[in-house]
C-alpha cells in the first residue's frame, strides 16, 4: 500500500527574535518517515526532541525549512505555490486547552457537524451517535455538560469525536493520554484502535512514553527520535526484540516491567549525563555522544547515517557492530 504521508529528509529551524529573523532551535534535522493508509506509526523521544514539530509538519501546519512533505504522493508545499492541506486532524494532550470552556458538549460538536453538511434538524441526533461511538455514555446525560463537568478521559474522547467529523484519513495523536489518569489510558488507546479498525484512520502516535506506545503501536512502526533526528526505526516488534541504538536500549531498560523480580534484578543502562543538550546548540557528530557510554573517536566528529540492518530496521550508530546485545537483565 502506498504512503499516505511521507516526510522526505525534512528539516525545520524555528526563526526567533525580532521579526523572526534569527535562526533558533533546529527542531527537526533531516527526518524521513512515512505513514501508510490505515496504518499506525509511532514516534517516541524525550521532551524537546522535535516530536510535535514532526506532527505539525506531517499535517502541513508548518512549512519545513528544507525537504519535502508528501500527501498521497503529492508535495503539499509544491512549487506551483498552492498549499495542499492533508485531510488529517491533530489531537493534543491538553484536552482542557483544546476545548472551549463555555461551550457544552453539544455546542462543541454542533458547529463542525453543521460545517460538514449535517442538516440543522439532524445535528442533535448525529451528536448523540458520535458520543455513543466514542464511549461517552449515556449521550443524553453528557450533551448539555461543559468540559469542566467531565473527567480527563471523557474530554479526550470528546476531542476524538470532534476530530472524526471531517472524516480524516489520518490523525496525529500528540501525547493523547499523558495528561489522563493511568487507569484510564488503556481505554482511550482502545478507542483509537477502534477508530483505526472501523474507520480506517491512520495514526501518527507521538509520545515520550514507551509503555503506551508499545501497547498502541504493537503491530505498527516505531521511530525513535533524539534531538531532532531519527536514530532508530522499524517494526515495533523487531525493535523491542532487538534494540540496537544505545539510546533505545537505555529507554527500554528504564521502562516499567510487569514482573517485580525482573524489575528488581535488572541493570539500568548508565548514561553519562542526565539532562539532554538543547536543540539550539546540538553537539557535533552523533548528537547522543555526550551521554553515550560507548562513545569513541568518530562519534564526536561525524554524524552517523541511518543504515539498514534488515527488514526495514534502520539505526544511526557508528559502533553498532561492537555494542553488546541488549538484554532485559
Ligand atoms: N514555536 C517555536 N518557536 C521556537 N522554538 C520552538 C517552537 N516550538 C518548538 N520549539 C523548539 O523546538 C524544539 C522541538 O520542540 P517540539 O517539536 O515541541 O518537541 P517535543 O514535542 O518532542 O517536545 C525544542 O527545542 C523547542 O524548544
Ligand atoms: S555513534 Fe557513537 S555516540 Fe552515537 S550512539 Fe553510536 S556509539 Fe554512541
Ligand atoms: Mg510535544
Amino acid at each position: 500500500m502506498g504512503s499516505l504521508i511521507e516526510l522526505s529528509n525534512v528539516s525545520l529551524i524555528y526563526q526567533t527574535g525580532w521579526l523572526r529573523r534569527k535562526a533558533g532551535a533546529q527542531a527537526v534535522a533531516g527526518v524521513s518517515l512515512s505513514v501508510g493508509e490505515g496504518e499506525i506509526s509511532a514516534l517516541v523521544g524525550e521532551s524537546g526532541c522535535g516530536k510535535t514539530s514532526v506532527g505539525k509538519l506531517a499535517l502541513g501546519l508548518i512549512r519545513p525549512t528544507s525537504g519535502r512533505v508528501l500527501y498521497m504522493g503529492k508535495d503539499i508545499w509544491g512549487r506551483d505555490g498552492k498549499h495542499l492541506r492533508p485531510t488529517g486532524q491533530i489531537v493534543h494532550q491538553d484536552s482542557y486547552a483544546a476545548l472551549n470552556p463555555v461551550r457544552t458538549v453539544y455546542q462543541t460538536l454542533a458547529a463542525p457537524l453543521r460545517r460538514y453538511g449535517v442538516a440543522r434538524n439532524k445535528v442533535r441526533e448525529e451528536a448523540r451517535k458520535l458520543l455513543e461511538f466514542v464511549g461517552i455514555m449515556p449521550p443524553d446525560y453528557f450533551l448539555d455538560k461543559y468540559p469542566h463537568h467531565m473527567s480527563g478521559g471523557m474530554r479526550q474522547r470528546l476531542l476524538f469525536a470532534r476530530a472524526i467529523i471531517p472524516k480524516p484519513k489520518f490523525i496525529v495523536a500528540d501525547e493523547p493520554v499523558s495528561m489522563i489518569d493511568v487507569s484510564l489510558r488503556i481505554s482511550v488507546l482502545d478507542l483509537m484502535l477502534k477508530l483505526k479498525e472501523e474507520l480506517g484512520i491512520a495514526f501518527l502516535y507521538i509520545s515520550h512514553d514507551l509503555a503506551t506506545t508499545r501497547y498502541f503501536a504493537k503491530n505498527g512502526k516505531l521511530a525513535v527520535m533524539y534531538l531532532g533526528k531519527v536514530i532508530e526505526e522499524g517494526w515495533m516488534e523487531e525493535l523491542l526484540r532487538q534494540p540496537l541504538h544505545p539510546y533505545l536500549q537505555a529507554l527500554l531498560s528504564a521502562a516499567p516491567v510487569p514482573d517485580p523480580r525482573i524489575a528488581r534484578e535488572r541493570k539500568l543502562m548508565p548514561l553519562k549525563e542526565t539532562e539532554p543538550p538543547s536543540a539550539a546548540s546540538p553537539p557535533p557528530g552523533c548528537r547522543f555522544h555526550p551521554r553515550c557510554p560507548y562513545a569513541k573517536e568518530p562519534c564526536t566528529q561525524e554524524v552517523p547515517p541511518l543504515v539498514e540492518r534488515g527488514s526495514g530496521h534502520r539505526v544511526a550508530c557508528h559502533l553498532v557492530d561492537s555494542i553488546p546485545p541488549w538484554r532485559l537483565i
Side-chain angles (χ1 to χ4, degrees):
M1 223 183 284
S3 287
L4 190 62
I5 294 285
E6 193 177 336
L7 271 66
S8 170
N9 200 17
V10 166
S11 295
L12 174 71
I13 299 174
Y14 284 106
Q15 301 298 119
T16 57
W18 175 241
L19 294 179
R20 301 204 168 270
R21 285 207 181 126
K22 222 172 102 201
Q26 188 181 21
V28 181
V31 164
S32 296
L33 60 84
S34 64
V35 186
E37 255 183 80
E39 280 184 5
I40 292 178
S41 285
L43 195 56
V44 293
E46 287 160 313
S47 174
C49 74
K51 305 180 298 296
T52 297
S53 301
V54 169
K56 289 181 178 168
L57 285 161
L59 280 169
L61 298 175
I62 38 177
R63 189 175 191 145
T65 311
S66 62
R68 298 201 309 157
V69 183
L70 306 173
Y71 176 60
M72 298 178 89
K74 289 206 182 84
D75 190 336
I76 67 172
W77 300 96
R79 284 206 199 95
D80 58 4
K82 279 200 215 104
H83 174 36
L84 179 78
R85 241 321 144 73
T87 53
Q89 292 283 306
I90 189 159
V91 172
H92 295 287
Q93 58 178 318
D94 188 354
S95 57
Y96 218 76
L99 293 166
N100 187 332
V102 296
R103 281 199 181 164
T104 63
V105 169
Y106 170 75
Q107 289 165 337
T108 300
L109 299 175
L113 280 170
R114 289 285 292 136
R115 207 172 323 125
Y116 285 91
V118 174
R120 196 179 292 278
N121 60 346
K122 295 271 186 331
V123 167
R124 202 164 175 96
E125 186 48 34
E126 284 302 310
R128 196 179 284 127
K129 279 192 210 154
L130 267 174
L131 293 187
E132 228 168 272
F133 187 70
V134 300
I136 299 182
M137 302 284 272
D140 286 306
Y141 173 80
F142 280 102
L143 271 174
D144 298 312
K145 295 276 179 277
Y146 288 91
H148 68 267
H149 291 134
M150 305 167 85
S151 69
M154 284 292 176
R155 281 199 300 270
Q156 212 61 11
R157 284 171 190 272
L158 179 58
L159 289 186
F160 281 106
R162 186 173 67 178
I164 60 178
I165 293 172
K167 303 201 174 1
K169 278 183 172 290
F170 88 115
I171 291 180
V172 173
D174 188 1
E175 311 261 11
V177 296
S178 51
M179 278 175 74
I180 62 178
D181 202 86
V182 175
S183 62
L184 299 173
R185 286 183 185 167
I186 295 287
S187 66
V188 172
L189 296 174
D190 284 342
L191 167 64
M192 288 161 56
L193 289 170
K194 175 176 163 178
L195 302 185
K196 174 201 170 315
E197 289 306 322
E198 295 185 20
L199 306 178
I201 296 174
F203 277 88
L204 178 61
Y205 180 82
I206 293 175
S207 179
H208 65 277
D209 163 46
L210 259 176
T212 59
T213 306
R214 66 198 291 180
Y215 180 83
F216 179 65
K218 54 184 173 294
N219 299 318
K221 288 184 293 185
L222 174 67
V224 184
M225 269 186 94
Y226 187 82
L227 268 188
K229 284 192 150 319
V230 170
I231 50 93
E232 186 160 357
E233 64 180 357
W235 292 101
M236 172 71 79
E237 217 174 278
E238 159 73 10
L239 261 63
L240 293 181
R241 196 175 55 78
Q242 198 183 15
L244 298 173
H245 196 283
Y247 178 60
L248 179 56
Q249 294 184 349
L251 284 183
L252 279 169
S253 60
V257 284
D259 185 332
R261 187 186 57 84
I262 295 180
R264 245 188 338 268
E265 288 175 13
R266 72 175 167 171
K267 293 194 194 92
L268 288 182
M269 193 167 144
L271 293 185
K272 280 202 225 148
E273 286 173 26
T274 48
E275 285 307 308
S278 101
S281 53
C286 172
R287 292 180 173 206
F288 186 57
H289 85 254
R291 298 167 84 190
C292 181
Y294 305 108
K296 289 210 177 84
E297 168 64 20
C299 307
T300 57
Q301 312 289 330
E302 290 159 38
V303 179
L306 259 180
V307 289
E308 184 86 24
R309 304 290 293 187
S311 63
H313 189 167
R314 306 201 301 157
V315 62
C317 171
H318 291 302
L319 307 177
V320 63
D321 289 318
S322 53
I323 284 168
W326 183 78
R327 284 182 307 122
L328 191 55
I329 42 175

